[in-house]
Structure formats: structure tokens, C-alpha cells
């Protein structure tokens, strides 16, 4: 089975800190995504990447950046954490463009980030 | 704008009963998918139905799709305590080479013992 691993289940960070959320997948997927999930708002797409060193903005990229130096790893960076970035962060992937219909997303277990 | 909207927002039923959740959407789609999320965890892909399909089964799951009404339903038969979770529909609209995926806000299902 494809595995998407998020390095931390729970994180507590201080306002203004630079925060790195790591996501690694082990099945050579090209497409990787970062979502945040908030009560009443559902899942919202932050950034995604179709290949190494490629990145595209999602619906809510403000306050975030990403890094994809290797195919298997997609990092989400909060440049200066703020309390409104307290959320559940979900990483997802699927093989290549046009295969979402076949496979759907594989999600990681999520990182619950609290910014104090 | 919200594409998939699940209904109801929350549902409590007795173990052994059937659970039905609905999803409505606004634009044409390539396919619609249902996911389950256990509390505090990531989403798990359950089933996908393509736009040219009307019904699909997988174990105790039955999904229907009515493209004329832009709606889908997920039926879980003979519910179990382990089915307690949130269920999300996700619509896939292919734009150029990109899949545009939009999730609904989910239905919280609680199975009572």
C-alpha cells in the first residue's frame, strides 16, 4: 500500500516562529498536495506540486510556502506562524496527472498544529 | 465556492441500521469520490464513481450518482460501531491537464450501540 507519512501528529509552536511540516510518500507519486482542515470550512487547498521543484498556489497560499527538492518529500513552511494558522494540516498525493480518476488521493494521518 | 455539499451535517443511527448521506454539487464533474475520516486522522479513500456511471458497490457501501440533479448518495448498510467517522464527498473537474478537486464539509456519522 502507498504510504504518506507526516512527520508529526501534534505540534505546538509560538507566534512568529518558522514552522516546517514534512510529508513523505513512498510510491513515486508525482503529485503532492497540502490542505488545511478547519471546523465549518472543510478542506482547503494551500499548495500543490506536480513534480520536483515545481509548485502551484492553491486556494489559500497566503502565509505559507512549500519546498519540493525531492520527489518523495513535500514540505509546507509557515514563514512566521500566527494563531490563525492553528489547524489540522493534511498532506495527500496521487501518481501522475490524469490518474486521480483511477486512484483518488492517498492522505497522510495529519498534523494538528497549535500556534500560541 | 463550495462544490460538494453533504447532507445531513450529522447523523446518529443504531448499530445495524443503514446510513445514507447525500452530496450535491454545482458544476459538471469527471468523477465523484467519497472519503472517510476517523477523528483526528487523515482521510481514507472509499469509493469513486465516474460521471458515466449511475451506481457502484463496494462491500457494504453503495454509491449512486445522478448527474442531471448533480447529486450523489452514499449508503452504508448494516452499520457497525467502526463506521463512526466523518464522510466527505470530493468532486473532480478536469481543467486542462489538471484535476480540480473540491471537498464538501462532511457528514459526521455516529453509530449508537
Amino acid at each position: 500500500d502507498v504510504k504518506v507519512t507526516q512527520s508529526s501528529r501534534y505540534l505546538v509552536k509560538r507566534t512568529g516562529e518558522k514552522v516546517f511540516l514534512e510529508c513523505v510518500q513512498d510510491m513515486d507519486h508525482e503529485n503532492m498536495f497540502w490542505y488545511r482542515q478547519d471546523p465549518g470550512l472543510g478542506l482547503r487547498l494551500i499548495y500543490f506540486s506536480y513534480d520536483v521543484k515545481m509548485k502551484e498556489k492553491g486556494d489559500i497560499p497566503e502565509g505559507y510556502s512549500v519546498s519540493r527538492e525531492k520527489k518523495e518529500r513535500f514540505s509546507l513552511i509557515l514563514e512566521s506562524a500566527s494563531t490563525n494558522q492553528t489547524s489540522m494540516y493534511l498532506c495527500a498525493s496521487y501518481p501522475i496527472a490524469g490518474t486521480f480518476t483511477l486512484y483518488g488521493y492517498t492522505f497522510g494521518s495529519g498534523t494538528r498544529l497549535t500556534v500560541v | 465556492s463550495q462544490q460538494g455539499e453533504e447532507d445531513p451535517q450529522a447523523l446518529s443511527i443504531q448499530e445495524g441500521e443503514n446510513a445514507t448521506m447525500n452530496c450535491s454539487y454545482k458544476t459538471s464533474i469527471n468523477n465523484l469520490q467519497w472519503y472517510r475520516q476517523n477523528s483526528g486522522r487523515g482521510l481514507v479513500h472509499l469509493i469513486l464513481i465516474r460521471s458515466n456511471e449511475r451506481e457502484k458497490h463496494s462491500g457494504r457501501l453503495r454509491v449512486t450518482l445522478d448527474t442531471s440533479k448533480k447529486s450523489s448518495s452514499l449508503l452504508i448498510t448494516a452499520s457497525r460501531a467502526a463506521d463512526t467517522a466523518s464522510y466527505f464527498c470530493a468532486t473532480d473537474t478536469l481543467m486542462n491537464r489538471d484535476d480540480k478537486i473540491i471537498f464538501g464539509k462532511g457528514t459526521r456519522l455516529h453509530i449508537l450501540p
Side-chain angles (χ1 to χ4, degrees):
Chain A
D1 281 349
V2 177
K3 205 165 186 184
V4 178
T5 303
Q6 294 183 233
S7 53
S8 303
R9 287 289 312 280
Y10 300 96
L11 274 179
V12 180
K13 296 292 182 180
R14 295 194 180 276
T15 300
E17 276 193 75
K18 190 169 186 175
V19 181
F20 293 85
L21 302 183
E22 305 289 345
C23 175
V24 177
Q25 48 90 7
D26 65 0
M27 280 297 288
D28 205 34
H29 283 184
E30 289 186 0
N31 303 322
M32 299 186 74
F33 302 78
W34 275 106
Y35 285 88
R36 64 178 282 177
Q37 183 180 25
D38 300 287
L41 296 176
L43 277 77
R44 293 180 291 168
L45 181 63
I46 307 172
Y47 265 98
F48 58 102
S49 169
Y50 287 141
D51 205 347
V52 176
K53 298 195 185 295
M54 290 181 63
K55 58 185 179 183
E56 301 280 348
K57 292 180 179 179
D59 299 319
I60 53 162
E62 296 78 19
Y64 303 94
S65 62
V66 289
S67 172
R68 186 123 182 244
E69 295 296 318
K70 293 185 178 180
K71 192 173 188 178
E72 66 270 18
R73 185 180 297 269
F74 192 35
S75 302
L76 179 69
I77 303 158
L78 285 66
E79 297 292 342
S80 178
S82 63
T83 54
N84 63 13
Q85 292 178 310
T86 291
S87 185
M88 169 72 109
Y89 289 87
L90 294 165
C91 177
S93 71
Y94 68 91
I96 58 174
T99 63
F100 187 79
T101 297
L102 297 174
Y103 301 106
Y105 279 132
T106 300
F107 278 90
S109 295
T111 295
R112 185 163 294 282
L113 172 68
T114 302
V115 182
V116 298
Chain B
S1 63
Q2 191 66 37
Q3 171 76 317
E5 293 279 355
E6 289 91 342
D7 168 55
Q9 290 186 354
L11 179 63
S12 293
I13 61 171
Q14 294 293 137
E15 193 168 10
E17 293 181 342
N18 297 340
T20 299
M21 290 158 272
N22 302 296
C23 171
S24 59
Y25 57 92
K26 296 174 182 170
T27 63
S28 297
I29 61 172
N30 296 313
N31 64 75
L32 185 145
Q33 306 189 10
W34 285 91
Y35 290 80
R36 184 187 74 233
Q37 184 181 34
N38 290 90
S39 180
R41 310 291 297 191
L43 280 72
V44 175
H45 181 255
L46 292 177
I47 193 165
L48 176 152
I49 186 164
R50 293 184 174 79
S51 59
N52 61 353
E53 296 176 313
R54 292 296 166 259
E55 187 171 313
K56 203 159 184 183
H57 296 254
S58 177
R60 294 184 297 113
L61 304 180
R62 174 178 165 245
V63 170
T64 62
L65 180 64
D66 186 335
T67 53
S68 66
K69 295 181 179 178
K70 292 187 169 57
S71 68
S72 173
S73 67
L74 172 67
L75 169 68
I76 304 174
T77 61
S79 63
R80 305 168 181 169
D83 296 327
T84 293
S86 291
Y87 292 82
F88 295 85
C89 67
T91 54
D92 174 18
T93 303
L94 188 64
M95 299 171 63
N96 300 319
R97 68 181 285 276
D98 298 338
D99 293 291
K100 175 74 171 174
I101 314 301
I102 301 177
F103 285 86
K105 295 179 182 177
T107 292
R108 294 186 312 278
L109 175 64
H110 184 56
I111 308 300
L112 303 168

